[in-house]
């Protein structure tokens, strides 16, 4: 296999497309047909390649740019390699480049105003150094003018400075590249010096054509000089001047006839206008009667333009009569401007007519008889006064209906719309329909459309707008918010208004219409926003909306509080809370009420609309009101639990009977409930209802009240943590008081029977015989404790320790007292007493606190110690506990 071709030399190493390149190397082919491929800088140059020998090839470069390898491909050697590179660039014609044709050396100047010249674009100066300036950010010429005040970087200028050129085009070029550019420039200069003759030879045709053109031009100039002389344009100048004079002479008669015709037409026009002048007084009067004031204005303006400065007596007399007619029209216009109601466009039309007549009559003899400085301002005041009177009239109408029940259908018919709601609808409709007219009239006045001779009064107009909006809000607030709930800036404005009569509407009836009223107020607020009113005016309505939202929030929560107050009537004593034994469905009913209230508040007043604020912002009145009402509701719920706990039916005994077995097992209804019957009602005992209330207290404190925060987070509202914690404290206090009540109710009869049972049948501790059984009083005490345990366990096992610990402590204290009071024990009596105390202490050990344990020790210490009797006591205790294991088994459970 033949060796791969290698390119080791190149001459020249750079040039534009079409440069003749000599390629030297090895293994370039043994004959011309061996050369099958040649690429220079990625361009195929095989067509221009000329094979000379196996070490030399001559070719011309293609349309490439940048540096690249020279790859030779032979038939047998394949694709070769290159150790040198060729740099291709595009060359532009400039002042340094010889050319056989004419090149415009001065670049086209662009006009200052940016118009584009129709001439060809100027040449692009080539870089004399032959270096690439890509990546070099050119300096601004203003920076270089400070360094070279009298120089230039343009190659075509006489003030060309190389330093400017290098800083402008090659400030980022390395020194080695600049040296290479200098070498390139020297080679170009030397090649031009040596090749001038060859240049002329190669371009001989173009040079001969240029010589022929110059010789033809010289012959034509010589011929024209012989025919016309040296000053060839003088005759042309004379001919132009003669043509101008002839044109003036030609149109002189035409212009004269035009002037005469114009004068004739002006005379005829004046004759026709005379008839208009004499008929004008009657025409103006008829136009005024038909309220066609614009026709009168136009006719008067026309006659003033035609005859305003006339000296003809007849014309003056007619004009004076017309002026008096116009004066009457001005008075009529001024009165019509202030007549209400009328549309704003009609009012603007009248104001424009009056202003026009005022201006036209300025300087006449009748102008001083009636003068209106600013009719547009009078129109604004009249419209504002009418709007205020409309508000007051509507307020008086509906407030009087509220004060007279016989005239109001809403009091007789519960489905009728209340008067205050009807008033809210009418007020918002008045504001939405009439206030925009007042605002547009004022805008037309201040933009100059209706401005008369007087100066504008922006401060007064602002006062009018604010007054109207404040009155609008004051009337609405008087009707929709009770006086005791008002606490805003509008309260001061309410002092001058008649108070809205007190309403007997129920809270449930009124809250039905509150969203309706708020929606109407929001619609009127949206209308004012579209008018682009100043923020100071919009803030008044926004503050009213915020107060309405706050009042409605308070009303909704008050309604919820009223529902909570009646929850004790809906208590069914059913265990519907799976996660907490003993809790009834009462907390879930509270959650339903609160969830419904918050959902209603979210829909009605808590969701802000356009440009409204968030009602429950931190430290805001809304958040404080929400927390206050929420805490009141939870406190009411605690009161409901207390009411249920203290409520006794006629069937409940006033006092627990003192029997041998004081506390019985659950009654039949309770057993039915435990077996699946959910209808307790008042069939269960008061003690069992009290246990349910205690369970509800624990459930509310630990689980239910903290869970209520989820109702607020559901809608991304701040959780009233302080209100919840205060309510937990309240329900915890309630739990403590109810627990003391239950413990006292259970412990007093139980403890009271210990001493009578101990000394029943004239029992004496110094007369006790031998026995290995438990004393009757101790047996009864254990049975009573088991009975209490059974009742608590059937309702809520969570209450076992809170209830049994104080009861056991009381029993232990009573036993310690009784043992201490015994004056004398015999041996059997001491053994029996120790056995009784041991059995009772061991039975209630799980529910004995440290105080109870100390009382049991005190009771044992009060009993005389019999020598060598402890083993006997323990054996007897063991036998007794084995016989009573069914009774004592429940008391051994640590965490039921």
């Amino acid at each position: 296999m033949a060796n791969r071709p290698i390119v080791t030399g190149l001459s020249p190493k750079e040039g534009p497309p079409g440069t003749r390149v000599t390629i030297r190397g090895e293994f370039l082919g043994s004959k011309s047909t061996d050369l099958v491929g040649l690429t220079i800088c990625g361009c195929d140059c095989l067509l221009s390649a000329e094979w000379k020998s196996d070490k030399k090839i001559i070719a011309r470069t293609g349309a490439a740019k940048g540096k690249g390898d020279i790859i030779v491909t032979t038939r047998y050697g394949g694709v070769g390699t290159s150790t040198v590179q060729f740099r291709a660039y595009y060359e532009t014609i400039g002042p340094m480049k010889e050319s056989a044709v004419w090149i415009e050396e001065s670049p086209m100047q662009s006009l200052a105003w940016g118009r584009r010249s129709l001439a060809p674009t100027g040449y692009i100066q080539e870089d004399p150094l032959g270096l690439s300036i890509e990546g070099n950010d050119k300096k601004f010429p203003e920076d270089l003018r400070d360094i070279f005040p009298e120089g230039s970087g343009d190659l075509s200028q006489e003030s060309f400075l190389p330093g400017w050129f290098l800083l402008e085009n090659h400030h980022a070029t390395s020194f080695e590249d600049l040296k290479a550019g200098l070498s390139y420039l020297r080679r170009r200069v030397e090649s031009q010096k040596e090749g001038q003759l060859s240049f002329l030879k190669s371009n001989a045709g173009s040079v001969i054509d240029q010589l022929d053109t110059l010789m033809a031009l010289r012959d034509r100039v010589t011929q024209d000089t012989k025919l016309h002389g040296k000053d060839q344009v003088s005759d042309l100048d004379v001919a132009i001047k003669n043509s101008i004079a002839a044109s003036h002479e030609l149109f002189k008669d035409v212009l004269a006839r035009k002037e005469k015709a114009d004068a004739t037409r002006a005379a005829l026009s004046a004759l026709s206008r005379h008839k208009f002048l004499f008929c004008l007084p009657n025409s103006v009067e008829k136009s005024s009667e038909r309220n066609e004031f614009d026709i009168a204005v136009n006719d008067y303006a026309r006659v003033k333009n035609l005859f305003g400065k006339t000296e003809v007596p007849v014309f003056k007399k007619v004009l004076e009569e017309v002026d008096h007619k116009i004066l009457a029209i001005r008075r009529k216009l001024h009165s019509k401007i202030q007549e209400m109601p009328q549309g704003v466009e009609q009012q603007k039309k009248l104001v424009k007519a009056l202003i026009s007549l005022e201006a036209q009559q300025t300087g006449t003899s009748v102008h001083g008889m009636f003068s209106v400085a600013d009719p547009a301002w009078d129109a604004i005041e009249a419209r504002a006064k009418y709007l205020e009177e409309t508000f007051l009239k509507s307020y008086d109408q509906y407030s009087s209906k509220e004060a007279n029940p016989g005239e109001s259908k809403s009091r007789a018919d519960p489905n009728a719309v209340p008067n205050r709601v009807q008033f809210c609808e009418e007020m918002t409709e008045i504001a939405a329909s009439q206030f925009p007219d007042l605002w547009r009239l004022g805008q037309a006045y201040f933009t100059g459309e209706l401005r008369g001779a007087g100066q504008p009064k922006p401060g007064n107009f602002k006062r009018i707008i604010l007054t109207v909006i404040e009155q609008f809000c004051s009337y609405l607030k008087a009707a929709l918010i009770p006086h005791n709930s008002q606490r805003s800036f509008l309260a001061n404005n309410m002092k001058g208004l008649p108070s809205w009569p007190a309403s007997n509407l129920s809270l449930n009836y009124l809250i039905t219409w509150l969203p309706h009223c708020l929606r109407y107020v929001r619609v009127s607020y949206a209308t004012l926003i579209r008018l682009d009113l100043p923020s100071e005016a919009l803030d008044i309505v926004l503050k009213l909306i915020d107060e309405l939202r706050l009042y409605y929030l308070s009303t909704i929560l008050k309604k919820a509080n009223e529902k909570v107050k009646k929850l004790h009537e809906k208590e069914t004593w059913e265990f519907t809370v799976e996660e907490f034994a003993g809790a009834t469905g009462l907390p879930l009913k509270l959650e339903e009420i609160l969830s419904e209230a918050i959902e209603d508040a979210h829909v009605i007043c808590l969701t802000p609309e356009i440009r409204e604020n968030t009602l429950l912002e931190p430290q805001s009145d809304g958040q404080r009101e929400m927390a206050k009402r929420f805490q009141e509701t939870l406190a009411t719920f605690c009161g409901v639990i207390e009411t249920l706990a203290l409520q006794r039916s006629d069937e409940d005994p006033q006092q627990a009977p003192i029997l041998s077995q004081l506390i019985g097992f659950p009654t039949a209804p309770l057993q039915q409930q435990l077996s699946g019957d959910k209808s307790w009602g008042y069939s269960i005992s008061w003690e069992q209802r009290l246990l349910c209330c205690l369970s509800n207290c624990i459930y509310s404190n630990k689980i239910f009240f903290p869970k209520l925060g989820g109702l607020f987070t559901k809608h991304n509202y701040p959780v009233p943590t302080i209100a919840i914690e205060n309510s937990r404290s309240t329900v915890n206090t309630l739990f403590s008081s109810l627990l003391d009540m239950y413990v006292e109710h259970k412990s007093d009869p139980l403890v009271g029977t210990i001493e009578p049972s101990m000394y029943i049948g004239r029992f004496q501790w110094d007369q006790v015989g031998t026995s290995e059984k438990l004393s009757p009083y101790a047996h009864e005490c254990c049975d009573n404790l088991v009975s209490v345990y059974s009742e608590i366990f059937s309702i809520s096992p969570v209450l076992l320790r809170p209830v049994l610990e104080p009861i056991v402590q009381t029993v232990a204290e009573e036993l310690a007292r009784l043992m201490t009071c015994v004056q004398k024990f015999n041996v059997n009596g001491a053994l029996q007493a120790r056995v009784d105390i041991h059995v009772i202490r061991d039975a209630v050990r799980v529910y004995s606190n440290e105080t109870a344990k100390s009382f049991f020790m005190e009771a044992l210490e009060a009993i005389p110690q019999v020598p060598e009797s402890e083993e006997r006591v323990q054996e007897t205790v063991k036998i007794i506990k084995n016989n009573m294991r069914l009774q004592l088994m429940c008391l051994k459970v640590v965490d039921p």
Side-chain angles (χ1 to χ4, degrees), residues 61-130:
T61 60
K65 186 176 181 181
K67 286 187 176 183
D69 294 332
I70 296 88
I71 307 300
V72 178
T73 305
T74 61
R75 186 180 302 276
Y76 302 105
V79 180
T81 58
S82 175
T83 59
V84 293
Q85 287 184 326
F86 180 81
R87 188 177 73 88
Y89 58 86
Y90 287 98
E91 189 174 28
T92 56
I93 299 175
M96 302 292 292
K97 181 72 175 177
E98 293 181 354
S99 176
V101 296
W102 178 259
I103 298 298
E104 178 63 42
E105 293 186 357
S106 61
M108 298 298 175
Q109 301 293 330
S110 60
L111 300 179
W113 52 84
R115 292 183 58 188
R116 184 175 296 177
S117 174
L118 296 178
T121 56
Y123 65 88
I124 302 175
Q125 292 184 3
E126 64 172 336
D127 189 355
L129 300 180

Side-chain angles (χ1 to χ4, degrees), residues 348-367:
K348 288 167 63 176
K349 185 178 179 181
L350 298 178
V351 170
K352 291 178 181 179
L354 181 56
I355 291 175
S356 179
L357 293 178
E358 285 277 350
Q360 292 175 18
Q361 280 203 323
T362 302
T364 61
S365 58
V366 299
H367 182 264

Side-chain angles (χ1 to χ4, degrees), residues 506-534:
S506 64
L507 187 63
N508 294 337
Y509 183 70
L510 181 60
I511 200 174
T512 306
W513 297 98
L514 293 182
H516 183 75
C517 298
L518 180 60
R519 182 168 61 254
Y520 268 86
V521 177
R522 280 173 165 169
V523 169
S524 62
Y525 180 56
T527 303
L528 298 180
I529 291 176
R530 287 193 293 269
L531 296 177
D532 197 18
L533 291 176

Side-chain angles (χ1 to χ4, degrees), residues 655-871:
Q655 184 177 355
I658 302 177
L659 299 174
S660 172
Q661 185 69 32
L662 294 179
I663 308 299
F665 291 99
T667 58
L670 178 59
Q671 294 173 352
Q672 295 174 4
Q673 192 276 338
L674 293 176
S675 62
D677 186 5
K678 300 297 182 181
S679 302
W680 285 21
Y682 284 104
S683 61
I684 66 174
S685 65
W686 172 75
E687 292 89 347
Q688 294 165 350
R689 295 199 298 270
L690 185 59
L691 287 175
C692 292
C693 293
L694 288 172
S695 299
N696 285 334
C697 289
I698 298 178
Y699 173 65
S700 299
N701 180 32
K702 294 183 178 180
I703 301 176
F704 179 67
F705 282 176
K707 188 176 67 175
L708 291 179
L711 299 177
F712 296 87
T713 56
K714 176 182 178 182
H715 299 287
N716 296 324
Y717 296 146
V719 179
T721 307
I722 297 179
I724 292 176
E725 293 301 324
N726 292 338
S727 302
R728 292 182 63 186
S729 177
T730 303
V731 77
N732 194 30
T733 303
L734 175 62
F735 172 78
S736 300
S737 62
L738 296 181
L739 180 64
D740 293 342
M741 181 188 303
Y742 183 81
V743 169
E744 181 180 358
H745 181 76
K746 288 295 184 181
S747 62
D748 287 351
L750 190 149
V751 173
T753 59
I754 295 177
E755 185 174 3
S757 298
M758 180 183 294
Y759 293 104
I760 191 171
R762 298 181 180 181
F763 173 81
Q764 296 295 328
W765 286 105
D766 57 351
Q767 299 176 4
V768 178
T770 303
S771 175
E772 293 183 355
K773 296 182 180 180
L774 190 64
S775 298
Y777 81 90
H779 204 290
E780 181 185 34
C781 181
C782 291
D783 289 343
N784 287 337
L785 288 174
V786 170
S787 178
V788 173
Y789 179 96
S790 174
E791 183 180 51
I792 298 173
F793 185 84
S794 65
I795 303 297
S796 179
V798 179
L799 296 173
L800 286 174
R801 186 169 298 279
V803 174
L804 289 178
E805 279 191 359
I807 293 178
V808 168
Q809 178 179 334
T810 306
V811 169
E813 183 179 4
E814 179 66 13
L815 291 175
R817 182 186 69 82
L818 292 176
M819 294 297 107
T820 305
C821 294
V822 175
Q823 296 180 355
K824 184 178 180 182
F825 288 92
N826 62 7
V827 175
N828 292 329
L831 292 176
Q832 186 65 42
R834 296 184 71 84
V835 168
D836 295 341
I837 300 300
H838 274 290
V839 170
I840 296 175
R841 184 187 67 176
D842 292 346
V844 298
R845 186 181 301 275
V846 175
Y847 298 99
S848 299
N849 54 23
E850 295 298 328
T851 305
K853 293 177 181 179
S854 64
F855 280 132
F856 280 124
M857 288 300 300
E858 182 179 347
L860 292 174
E861 292 174 356
I863 302 172
Q865 184 72 29
V866 178
E868 300 179 358
S869 64
E870 192 61 30
E871 295 181 358

Side-chain angles (χ1 to χ4, degrees), residues 382-639:
R383 185 167 288 277
K385 184 178 179 182
Y386 172 73
L387 184 56
E388 293 175 5
E389 291 175 352
T390 306
F391 285 158
L392 182 58
K393 181 180 178 180
S394 178
Y395 185 86
D396 293 339
Q397 176 185 355
Y398 286 97
S399 61
S400 61
K401 288 182 180 180
E402 190 80 14
N404 299 322
E407 301 178 3
S408 177
K409 297 181 180 180
S410 62
R411 296 180 180 270
D413 186 5
N415 296 324
V417 181
N419 289 319
R420 62 184 67 217
V421 178
Q422 296 180 11
F423 170 71
C424 175
E425 295 178 359
E426 183 167 335
M427 285 289 290
T428 52
E429 290 177 359
I430 292 173
S433 60
Q434 297 188 21
F435 185 83
D437 293 341
L438 175 61
W439 178 255
R440 284 195 292 268
L441 187 64
Q443 294 302 304
Y445 170 70
F446 286 103
T447 55
E449 182 181 355
L450 303 178
R451 188 172 300 171
Q455 294 296 325
K457 307 175 180 65
N460 294 344
F461 182 70
K462 178 181 179 181
R463 175 183 53 80
I464 289 176
I465 293 297
L466 294 180
T467 301
V468 170
I469 293 180
E470 286 176 357
Q471 288 187 356
F472 167 71
C473 296
S474 300
Y475 286 122
L476 286 178
K477 186 175 181 182
L480 299 180
I481 302 179
H483 184 70
N484 54 2
S485 300
Q486 297 171 3
R487 54 176 180 272
S488 71
F489 71 100
L490 294 175
N492 296 328
N493 299 328
M494 294 299 297
K495 296 178 181 178
L497 299 177
S499 60
W500 190 273
S503 175
N504 295 326
L505 296 176
S506 64
L507 187 63
N508 294 337
Y509 183 70
L510 181 60
I511 200 174
T512 306
W513 297 98
L514 293 182
H516 183 75
C517 298
L518 180 60
R519 182 168 61 254
Y520 268 86
V521 177
R522 280 173 165 169
V523 169
S524 62
Y525 180 56
T527 303
L528 298 180
I529 291 176
R530 287 193 293 269
L531 296 177
D532 197 18
L533 291 176
S535 58
E536 185 176 356
L538 294 175
D539 289 343
I540 299 175
V541 186
L542 179 60
K543 195 162 188 178
L544 171 64
I545 292 177
D546 289 342
E547 291 197 3
L548 288 176
R549 293 168 62 197
L550 183 61
Y551 171 66
Y552 296 166
L553 173 63
S554 178
T555 305
I556 290 172
L557 296 179
K558 285 180 180 178
K559 179 184 176 182
N561 194 19
E562 294 295 327
K563 292 182 179 179
V564 173
K565 289 181 180 179
K566 300 178 181 180
L567 280 181
H568 65 280
E569 301 174 358
K570 300 180 179 181
E571 178 61 271
T572 59
W573 306 105
E574 298 178 3
F575 295 156
T576 58
V577 181
E578 298 180 357
E579 63 208 35
F580 195 90
T584 65
L586 195 66
L588 297 181
K589 292 183 175 64
L590 171 64
E591 184 177 5
E592 292 176 0
I593 294 174
L594 291 177
S595 179
E596 180 183 0
I598 295 176
E599 190 69 31
D600 292 343
H602 172 73
V603 175
I604 297 174
C605 55
L606 291 182
T607 303
E609 295 189 2
I610 179 173
R611 292 188 81 253
E612 293 182 5
N613 302 320
T614 303
L615 196 61
L616 298 182
E617 292 181 351
Q619 306 300 324
S620 63
D621 293 339
Q623 188 178 23
R624 286 191 288 268
E625 183 71 17
M626 171 68 83
K628 177 183 176 182
R629 298 302 176 189
F630 186 69
Q631 184 173 345
E632 288 179 356
T633 304
L634 296 184
T636 302
F637 178 72
C638 296

